[in-house]
Structures are given as C-alpha cells and as structure tokens.
Amino acid sequence: MIEVKDLVKKYGNHLAVDHLSFTVEKGQILGFLGPNGAGKSTTMNMLTGYISATEGNVIIDGHDIFDEPEEAKKSIGYLPEIPPLYPDMTVREYLKFVADIKNVKKNEQEKMIEDIMKLIQIKDVSERLIKHLSKGYKQRVGLAQAIMGYPEVIILDEPTVGLDPKQIIEIRDLIKTLSKKHTVILSSHILSEISAVCDIVMIINKGKLVVTDTPENLSNHMEGANGLFLTVKGNKDTVYDVISSIPKVTKIHYEDSEEANTVSLTVYSKEHEDIREAVFYALSEAKCPIYDMHSTKMSLENIFLELTGKNDKGGLKNASDL
C-alpha cells in the first residue's frame, strides 16, 4: 500500500531525512516516533506530496507521489497537527466544500457526508459554526475532512494534541475503527498512544530509521531490555559483589527499597538469557534471602530514549564497570 525507498531531504548542508526506507501494508496502523528534529514532519510532508524529496520515491497505492501526484493524492487523506478548518463555515458547509475539492460525485456527496458525520460523531454539531466548537470537536471535523472520499491511506500528525483524556480515548477509538477500511500512519509524541493504537512502530533519529517492529517486540532489539527485579535481604556491597560476579549480567539498576536491611535492584542480562537460577543460587550461597523476584520489561518510553540516545542512565551501571 505504501512503499518508501531511499527517501532523502536536504536543506542546504542539513540532511533532514537520510535514505529512509519502509513499507506499510493495507489495514496497518503505523506509529511514527522520533525526538524533535528527527525528521518526522519532513517525512510526513513528503509522503503527502506537500514538499518534494531531494532523492528517493514514495509509492502510494502503486503511484509515485512525485511523478504522478494527482493519482497518488487521490489515495491520501491528511490531518495536519493544526486542522485546516474554515471557522466561519458550519460543519456541514465545510464538509461539502471538502467533498467538492476532492471531486466526490455530486450524487454521492450527501450520503457520504452523513455517513462520515455519523462515524466521527459530529452530526449533533453539523449546523454549528466551526469557530464555536470545542477543541475536541474541531479535531473531529479535521478527521472527517481527512477521510472524505474514503482514501486508502490516512496520515495523522499529532491528532490528539491539546485534547483532554476523554477526547484522547475517543480519537484513539476512531483511529482503530478507521484501520478496518484504511491504512493509517500516525505521528505522535505520546508514547502511550502509539503503544495502545499502533500495529507497527517506526522510530527515526537524525533522519535515519532506527528500528521498525511491533510495540511488543521493540525490546528485542536492545541488549538488556528485559530485566529481573529483586528485593534481597542483606548488605548492599555484598549483594553488589554477588550479582556482578554472574557472567551473563550486563547491567544493574538500584531502586529505592521500602524495607530496612534490604536491597532492591533490577538486573539486566544479554538478550534471551535466563539468569533466574544463577541469581537464586548465587544469593543463596551468600546467605542473602530473596524476598521478591520477577521479570520486568522496559517501557516504550525507556526503549525510545535508549534507541535515540537520550536516556539519562542515572543509577544504571554496565556490569563491565562494576
């Protein structure tokens, strides 16, 4: 459905997007993540044909966005961060205007507008001026214009910015509903939103692709992403020495302990290495009873910070430095 090949965008000597390649299959929701300045907005603008590329191709439903812009753009619905609304129009007038721009057949417009308003849940404000709507309703109207004409691909840039928690949940549910008939690309800074909504997550940094995978599998791309949390009775130095002597341990992160004479820590190991038995026997031999031991998984937020090189590893030590 969407194929991006060696996409490059240069502004003078600044390389905003650096040979980016990825594909999105029909019906998928792709979450697009990256720190400020990573090249997300630039990439989104090239995907929609709003700006040209220095090099590379963007294929939308078999059409190159740069060589066949009119055909490719027929397959795209776009909601930028600030919805392109006309505040002095009513919701219905605006959607009729959008339908005309998108060349929706006259005999299909009324039914399509009614169906979209019902889907997006804005029918109750259809005769109100857009300037009098709440932020949440304006966002919904923006989403309605994006799916007008039922394009194959819907691209959403920060669709929940400025919304309250209830509105965020409602927009998330709408996005999930849209994926039943559309392919969706979602750019967001809200990591919980990406995790809750997206099938695939793509992280870019400094214009380059860092990793693409499901939210559940992202941690598999990192050494020591999965940890073992322990609460141990004993002296901190003793526990430190025992754990650091285990060959497969790569990192140790100390936590605040709620009990006196105990040490709480998370121990990280190499990918797919199970260190539970080794930890149990080592601490048992040192006469340091284990009060709690369970596996942990790094949060999407920490994975993002690690993969983009922005994590402050306070309290986190490499085992080689112990």
Side-chain angles (χ1 to χ4, degrees), residues 255-302:
E255 315 280 353
D256 293 332
S257 181
E258 297 180 356
E259 299 182 52
N261 302 317
T262 64
V263 180
S264 293
L265 64 158
T266 302
V267 181
Y268 296 93
S269 60
K270 294 180 180 178
E271 186 179 344
H272 303 310
E273 295 282 5
D274 190 342
I275 61 171
R276 289 176 295 180
E277 286 191 18
V279 168
F280 174 83
Y281 287 121
L283 289 171
S284 178
E285 187 175 337
K287 294 182 170 51
C288 296
I290 299 173
Y291 287 179
D292 184 17
M293 179 169 68
H294 61 266
S295 297
T296 65
K297 202 162 189 178
M298 190 176 283
S299 68
L300 180 59
E301 180 180 30
N302 283 333

Side-chain angles (χ1 to χ4, degrees), residues 51-284:
I51 62 174
S52 62
T54 305
E55 299 175 27
N57 304 94
V58 176
I59 311 299
I60 307 288
D61 198 21
H63 302 284
D64 191 304
I65 192 72
F66 306 121
D67 294 338
E68 306 172 85
E70 188 171 343
E71 288 302 315
K73 289 178 182 180
K74 287 179 182 178
S75 299
I76 300 172
Y78 181 41
L79 174 61
E81 185 174 345
I82 300 175
L85 306 177
Y86 287 94
D88 290 320
M89 285 185 173
T90 67
V91 171
R92 188 182 295 276
E93 287 171 344
Y94 173 68
L95 294 181
K96 174 69 168 61
F97 171 71
V98 173
D100 286 337
I101 289 177
K102 292 191 175 184
N103 292 320
V104 177
K105 294 179 180 178
K106 295 291 184 182
N107 61 347
E108 297 177 1
Q109 285 187 8
E110 186 175 344
K111 184 179 187 306
M112 187 178 293
I113 290 170
E114 288 294 325
D115 289 346
I116 288 175
M117 287 196 299
K118 183 177 179 181
L119 174 67
I120 307 299
Q121 298 176 25
I122 54 174
K123 196 168 181 179
D124 57 330
V125 296
S126 62
E127 306 307 324
R128 291 179 59 183
L129 293 177
I130 291 173
K131 65 182 177 182
H132 294 152
L133 298 180
S134 67
K135 170 73 173 176
Y137 269 116
K138 287 177 180 176
Q139 202 73 359
R140 284 175 179 271
V141 176
L143 192 55
Q145 68 79 26
I147 66 174
M148 183 63 66
Y150 300 132
E152 294 289 338
V153 177
I154 298 175
I155 298 176
L156 309 174
D157 192 0
E158 303 286 353
T160 61
V161 167
L163 302 186
D164 64 38
K166 182 175 182 293
Q167 292 168 337
I168 288 173
I169 292 170
E170 290 171 347
I171 294 295
R172 285 180 186 172
D173 290 341
L174 281 172
I175 293 169
K176 289 179 182 178
T177 300
L178 291 175
S179 70
K180 295 175 182 178
K181 295 183 179 179
H182 308 269
T183 300
V184 180
I185 295 180
L186 168 65
S187 174
S188 177
H189 284 89
I190 305 172
L191 301 183
S192 59
E193 179 171 284
I194 294 292
S195 181
V197 173
C198 298
D199 304 309
I200 301 292
V201 177
M202 186 173 77
I203 298 177
I204 68 169
N205 191 32
K206 298 179 181 177
K208 292 185 177 182
L209 176 64
V210 177
V211 67
T212 302
D213 212 327
T214 64
E216 297 79 16
N217 290 339
L218 277 179
S219 62
N220 293 335
H221 295 270
M222 300 175 56
E223 181 178 331
N226 299 319
L228 189 67
F229 175 82
L230 296 162
T231 299
V232 182
K233 182 179 180 180
N235 178 273
K236 183 175 181 179
D237 291 337
T238 301
V239 174
Y240 180 98
D241 291 339
V242 171
I243 297 297
S244 64
S245 67
I246 298 172
K248 295 176 182 178
V249 171
T250 57
K251 296 177 184 178
I252 298 174
H253 185 195
Y254 288 96
E255 315 280 353
D256 293 332
S257 181
E258 297 180 356
E259 299 182 52
N261 302 317
T262 64
V263 180
S264 293
L265 64 158
T266 302
V267 181
Y268 296 93
S269 60
K270 294 180 180 178
E271 186 179 344
H272 303 310
E273 295 282 5
D274 190 342
I275 61 171
R276 289 176 295 180
E277 286 191 18
V279 168
F280 174 83
Y281 287 121
L283 289 171
S284 178

Side-chain angles (χ1 to χ4, degrees), residues 11-47:
Y11 294 101
N13 294 325
H14 175 62
L15 188 59
V17 177
D18 187 359
H19 294 90
L20 193 62
S21 297
F22 62 92
T23 59
V24 189
E25 301 298 330
K26 184 178 178 66
Q28 281 187 332
I29 304 178
L30 172 71
F32 202 36
L33 281 175
N36 290 331
K40 294 195 309 301
S41 294
T42 302
T43 301
M44 299 281 268
N45 284 332
M46 286 190 286
L47 290 180

